[in-house]
Amino acid sequence: METQVQPRPRRPRPKVVTLTEAAAERVKAIMARADKPYVGLRVGVKNGGCAGQEYILEYAETAAPLDEVVEDKGVTVLIDPKAVLFLIGTVIDYETTQLASKFVFKNPNETDACGCGESVTIKPAEE
């Protein structure tokens, strides 16, 4: 008699990033006015700025095979695999003040930010 072990179902992983309602609505509005169809919003981190790193947001025409895909509040967010550890737990918000409207990243992995608010220092999350 042979006994087969059934694999345990994997529990769902938490989303790498989440969007506030304001950010989701703004992304949907921007995508609706885009000059061509896009599969989603690409979010990442690049080296630059006075604090060392900058967040990037851009239209995503296609998903790369290793992209982390997050669906949140009707928005598809694609994350480069090299940026995942820097973005774990990040909440993307959209804020409007009297002087500016912008996407704001609330990232628990940030260790420092420059005075102008354009760049940050991020320590990768430990798994």
Side-chain angles (χ1 to χ4, degrees):
M1 177 185 265
E2 209 173 296
T3 306
Q4 289 191 359
V5 177
Q6 295 293 327
R8 288 189 317 176
R10 293 185 73 152
R11 63 185 170 143
R13 292 187 313 179
K15 295 176 181 176
V16 174
V17 300
T18 56
L19 298 144
T20 64
E21 287 294 335
E25 291 306 315
R26 184 65 181 143
V27 170
K28 289 178 198 175
I30 291 169
M31 292 293 204
R33 290 192 327 261
D35 56 345
K36 59 183 175 178
Y38 293 99
V39 297
L41 176 69
R42 184 168 308 283
V43 177
V45 176
K46 70 176 185 174
N47 291 334
C50 51
Q53 295 166 305
E54 298 173 328
Y55 295 109
I56 56 170
L57 291 170
E58 58 192 16
Y59 293 116
E61 293 186 31
T62 61
L66 297 178
D67 279 347
E68 180 82 18
V69 180
V70 174
E71 298 284 341
D72 192 32
K73 297 176 182 66
V75 175
T76 301
V77 179
L78 305 170
I79 304 167
D80 183 292
K82 291 178 259 172
V84 168
L85 288 178
F86 293 100
L87 296 172
I88 290 174
T90 298
V91 175
I92 302 172
D93 194 7
Y94 186 75
E95 295 179 351
T96 301
T97 66
Q98 290 180 338
L99 299 175
S101 296
K102 62 182 177 178
F103 287 98
V104 177
F105 289 76
K106 297 174 183 174
N107 186 341
N109 305 303
E110 279 184 25
T111 59
D112 196 13
C114 67
C116 66
E118 293 297 319
S119 67
V120 293
T121 303
I122 307 170
K123 179 183 174 209
E126 295 179 15
E127 289 192 283

